[in-house]
């Protein structure tokens, strides 16, 4: 078929299953295949009507000699596909069957024998065209899954040639010799055209093996682990690992197995495991993304100074009458931990917050260091082919780690520190999360009406798809 049809079909083929558990599972349902069939047929019609076909030159034998023919300026004016079916062959591939197709062709013709010579313009109607094609995905020489056309067969039935403005016994007798080259051309070109379409899809298919850039700090590996065909759907396992940009060393985690629930209301299901999000946190932790500096220049809602802490910490109250600006450095002490439970996506983040006074000569003096444990929730959304998020602070716990300004009760500072984190850190994190993670993309397929469900161990996106012409 054409690109949209192949795009959803050819993902369905399995040659071998690898043992690695995926970070992302994709399920393609029969609803998606039916949509692919509908859109693919319409695109195929338009492409055939625009296509330029090569001239047919040759001869056919008859009892008294040869009939030499030249068929040129071939143009398809109408195509009908009344019966197209797509069936899944479990653990093997996909079978595409086109039944009772018909097409109308305009062409110039010229025939010549030792006793007859003529030419003109004619209309050809070909009916009862049957095409059967089976797709599979054997492994290539380097162990990657490759797409191939394992079998293809075309037959055509009746061919009616109407010669414009001409008739008679000799015309009717010799015109029939044009039928054979037309049948041969149809039979020999249909399957190569399908194979050519598969090769275009194979390029998109292989693009999954190329890391997808999230930003300057991280990339996603969506390369294919395995494909498996079942009777009602197709399952595809993608590696689904986030790496620090340019560093493809495996993260210190092992993906655990999980399964997509048995659903078929949507065209596509994308299930991101807890492992996917944990590798993301590891990558950003490695890149230092959780290390944040809050200073006077960056504060949007609060002018933080030593005066703010003076009423609580006596030693700070001894500072000069003119308060010093305060700078805070947050450093992640552990890799943040993700937890996916039913209807709950939470992150546990542990940071060390060191508070400095900025002296008049621009040097800094450490005042105290606080340990911060933050429990947060993330709300997810799909926008512009990306998985976006929004962070909400649930709970904060503070403990005094070190003080250069004497002992004091940390609980007296909790409201101030909480407000600073809520107004300065959370908005900055949400600005980054709103940029999102790019979802796997193939052949101009746009996700429509996505719905997100959080289950134990994975996030499930249920969505339909639209092919962008």
């Amino acid at each position: 078929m054409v690109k949209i049809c192949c795009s959803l079909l050819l993902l369905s083929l399995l040659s071998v299953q690898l043992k690695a558990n995926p970070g992302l599972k994709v399920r393609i349902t029969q609803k998606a295949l039916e949509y692919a069939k509908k859109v693919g047929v319409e695109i195929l019609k338009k492409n055939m009507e625009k296509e330029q076909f090569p001239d047919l030159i040759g001869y056919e034998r008859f009892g008294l000699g040869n009939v030499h023919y030249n068929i040129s300026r071939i143009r398809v004016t109408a195509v009908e596909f009344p019966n197209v079916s797509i069936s899944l062959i479990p653990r093997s591939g996909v079978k595409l069957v086109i039944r009772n197709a018909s097409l109308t062709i305009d062409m110039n013709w010229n025939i010549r024998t030792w006793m007859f010579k003529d030419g003109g313009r004619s209309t050809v109607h070909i009916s009862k065209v049957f095409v059967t094609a089976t797709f599979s995905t054997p492994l290539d020489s380097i162990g990657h899954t490759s797409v191939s056309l394992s079998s293809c067969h075309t037959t055509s039935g009746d061919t009616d040639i109407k010669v414009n403005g001409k008739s008679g016994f000799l015309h009717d007798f010799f015109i029939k010799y044009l039928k054979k080259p037309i049948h041969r051309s149809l039979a020999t070109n249909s399957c190569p055209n399908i194979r050519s379409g598969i090769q275009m899809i194979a390029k998109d298919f292989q693009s999954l093996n190329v890391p997808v850039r999230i930003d300057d700090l991280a990339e996603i590996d969506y390369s294919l682990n395995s494909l498996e065909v079942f009777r009602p759907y197709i399952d595809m396992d993608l590696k689904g690992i986030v790496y620090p940009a340019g560093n493809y060393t495996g993260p210190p985690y092992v993906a655990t197995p999980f399964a997509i629930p048995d659903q078929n209301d949507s065209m596509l299901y994308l299930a991101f495991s807890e492992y996917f999000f944990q590798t993301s946190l590891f990558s950003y932790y490695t890149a230092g993304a959780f290390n944040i500096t809050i200073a006077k220049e960056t504060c949007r809602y609060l002018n933080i100074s030593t005066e703010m802490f003076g009423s609580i910490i006596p030693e700070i109250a001894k500072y000069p009458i003119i308060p010093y600006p305060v700078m805070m450095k947050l450093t992640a002490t552990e890799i943040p931990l993700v937890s996916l439970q039913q209807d709950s996506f939470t992150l546990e983040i542990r940071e060390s917050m060191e508070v400095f006074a900025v002296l008049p000569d621009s040097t800094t003096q450490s005042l105290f260091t606080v340990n911060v444990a933050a429990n947060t929730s993330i709300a997810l959304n799909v926008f512009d082919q990306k998985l976006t998020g929004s962070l909400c602070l649930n709970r904060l716990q503070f403990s005094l780690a070190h003080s250069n300004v004497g002992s004091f009760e940390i609980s007296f500072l909790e409201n101030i520190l909480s407000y600073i984190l809520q107004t300065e850190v959370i908005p900055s994190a949400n600005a980054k999360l709103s940029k999102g993670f790019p979802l796997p993309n193939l052949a101009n397929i746009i996700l429509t009406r996505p719905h997100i469900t959080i289950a134990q161990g994975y996030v499930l996106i249920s969505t339909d798809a639209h092919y962008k012409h």
Side-chain angles (χ1 to χ4, degrees):
M1 288 290 286
V2 291
K3 198 169 185 181
I4 171 59
C5 209
C6 293
S7 297
L8 294 174
L9 293 179
L10 298 181
L11 294 175
S12 65
L13 312 171
L14 172 68
S15 172
V16 66
Q17 287 251 18
L18 303 183
K19 293 183 179 179
N21 291 317
L24 170 63
K25 283 180 173 286
V26 178
R27 175 164 293 174
I28 303 170
T29 66
Q30 187 66 37
K31 181 179 179 182
L33 298 181
E34 292 301 319
Y35 173 76
K37 178 185 73 176
K38 176 183 176 182
V39 176
V41 163
E42 291 303 316
I43 295 176
L44 180 57
K45 286 181 181 181
K46 292 179 181 178
N47 287 349
M48 290 184 68
E49 291 171 0
K50 292 188 296 184
E51 187 171 349
Q52 294 182 347
F53 296 89
D55 295 350
L56 303 177
I57 301 173
Y59 66 89
E60 294 291 332
R61 297 185 183 275
F62 81 110
L64 300 177
N66 295 329
V67 178
H68 295 267
Y69 61 82
N70 186 332
I71 302 173
S72 61
R73 296 183 64 186
I74 304 168
R75 187 172 67 88
V76 175
T77 58
V79 187
E80 294 297 331
F81 296 110
N83 191 333
V84 179
S85 65
I86 299 171
S87 57
L88 301 177
I89 307 172
R91 302 186 183 277
S92 178
V94 172
K95 186 176 183 179
L96 171 67
V97 179
I98 302 174
R99 299 180 180 88
N100 286 320
S102 63
L103 60 157
T104 303
I105 299 171
D106 280 350
M107 66 182 193
N108 286 347
W109 60 274
N110 182 283
I111 55 176
R112 176 175 53 84
T113 71
W114 63 270
M115 59 181 295
F116 180 82
K117 179 181 179 181
D118 203 358
R121 190 76 179 162
S122 64
T123 300
V124 181
H125 182 73
I126 306 172
S127 60
K128 298 180 182 179
V129 178
F130 289 77
V131 179
T132 302
T134 303
F135 310 104
S136 61
T137 54
L139 292 178
D140 62 20
S141 59
I142 58 175
H144 291 158
T145 303
S146 61
V147 179
S148 69
L149 181 66
S150 54
S151 66
C152 184
H153 183 63
T154 302
T155 61
S156 58
D158 299 335
T159 302
D160 180 31
I161 302 177
K162 293 183 178 180
V163 180
N164 296 348
K166 298 184 178 182
S167 62
F169 171 76
L170 287 176
H171 279 91
D172 295 342
F173 179 80
F174 285 110
I175 283 297
K176 69 182 180 181
Y177 285 96
L178 295 177
K179 293 183 180 182
K180 286 186 178 181
I182 292 172
H183 277 275
R184 272 199 306 270
S185 177
L186 181 65
T188 57
N189 288 318
S190 296
C191 291
N193 285 339
I194 292 176
R195 183 174 286 106
S196 176
I198 292 174
Q199 291 171 347
M200 288 192 298
I201 294 306
K203 293 180 181 179
D204 287 326
F205 197 66
Q206 291 301 317
S207 70
L208 291 173
N209 295 324
V210 179
V212 179
R213 182 178 180 273
I214 302 173
D215 50 32
D216 292 338
L217 303 180
E219 301 173 354
I220 306 176
D221 184 352
Y222 281 135
S223 58
L224 192 64
N225 273 2
S226 67
L227 293 157
E228 190 162 8
V229 181
F230 299 94
R231 182 70 64 184
Y233 54 78
I234 301 154
D235 272 355
M236 179 169 61
D237 288 354
L238 276 62
K239 188 174 288 186
I241 299 177
V242 180
Y243 292 104
N247 180 2
Y248 304 113
T249 303
Y253 308 103
V254 177
T256 57
F258 70 103
I260 297 179
D262 189 11
Q263 301 177 8
N264 55 21
D265 293 335
S266 298
M267 294 182 186
L268 301 172
Y269 293 90
L270 293 83
F272 291 85
S273 72
E274 204 168 78
Y275 172 77
F276 171 86
F277 295 104
Q278 193 61 61
T279 62
S280 169
L281 293 171
F282 171 75
S283 296
Y284 283 100
Y285 171 85
T286 302
F290 292 95
N291 301 334
I292 302 169
T293 298
I294 303 172
K296 177 181 179 181
E297 295 78 16
T298 59
C299 285
R300 290 173 292 180
Y301 301 102
L302 192 63
N303 183 16
I304 308 174
S305 69
T306 53
E307 183 181 28
M308 183 181 297
F309 300 103
S311 59
I312 299 171
I313 305 173
E315 285 296 318
I316 296 181
K318 297 177 182 179
Y319 275 62
I321 297 175
I322 299 175
Y324 293 153
V326 166
M327 179 176 68
M328 298 178 173
K329 287 187 177 181
L330 280 84
T331 305
T333 56
E334 299 177 13
I335 302 170
L337 186 64
V338 64
S339 176
L340 297 177
Q341 302 297 327
Q342 191 66 42
D343 301 323
S344 174
F345 188 140
T346 60
L347 287 182
E348 293 287 344
I349 305 172
R350 295 187 179 275
E351 300 260 350
S352 171
M353 176 191 287
E354 188 171 7
V355 180
F356 299 85
V358 181
L359 303 181
D361 60 359
S362 298
T363 61
T364 59
Q365 179 180 329
S366 177
L367 302 178
F368 58 88
T369 302
V370 176
N371 292 326
V372 184
N375 177 275
T376 64
S377 296
I378 291 185
L380 297 173
N381 192 18
V382 174
F383 177 74
D384 195 25
Q385 301 300 104
K386 293 182 179 181
L387 181 62
T388 64
S390 177
L391 193 67
C392 177
L393 193 56
N394 297 331
R395 185 177 62 255
L396 284 170
Q397 290 181 326
F398 299 95
S399 62
L400 184 63
H402 176 74
S403 174
N404 293 319
V405 289
S407 61
F408 60 91
E409 184 59 52
I410 190 64
S411 60
F412 294 153
L413 285 179
E414 285 185 355
N415 286 340
I416 296 175
L417 297 179
S418 296
Y419 181 80
I420 292 171
L421 293 176
Q422 286 273 22
T423 57
E424 302 299 334
V425 177
I426 297 300
S428 175
N430 283 335
K432 295 177 180 178
L433 287 171
S434 66
K435 296 179 181 179
F437 292 82
L439 297 172
N441 190 24
L442 188 66
N444 300 321
I445 296 175
I446 306 299
L447 304 183
T448 60
R449 297 181 293 277
H451 175 74
I452 296 176
T453 303
I454 301 174
Q456 184 170 355
Y458 65 91
V459 171
L460 182 66
I461 301 176
S462 311
T463 182
D464 286 339
H466 172 73
Y467 181 73
K468 185 178 180 180
H469 295 263

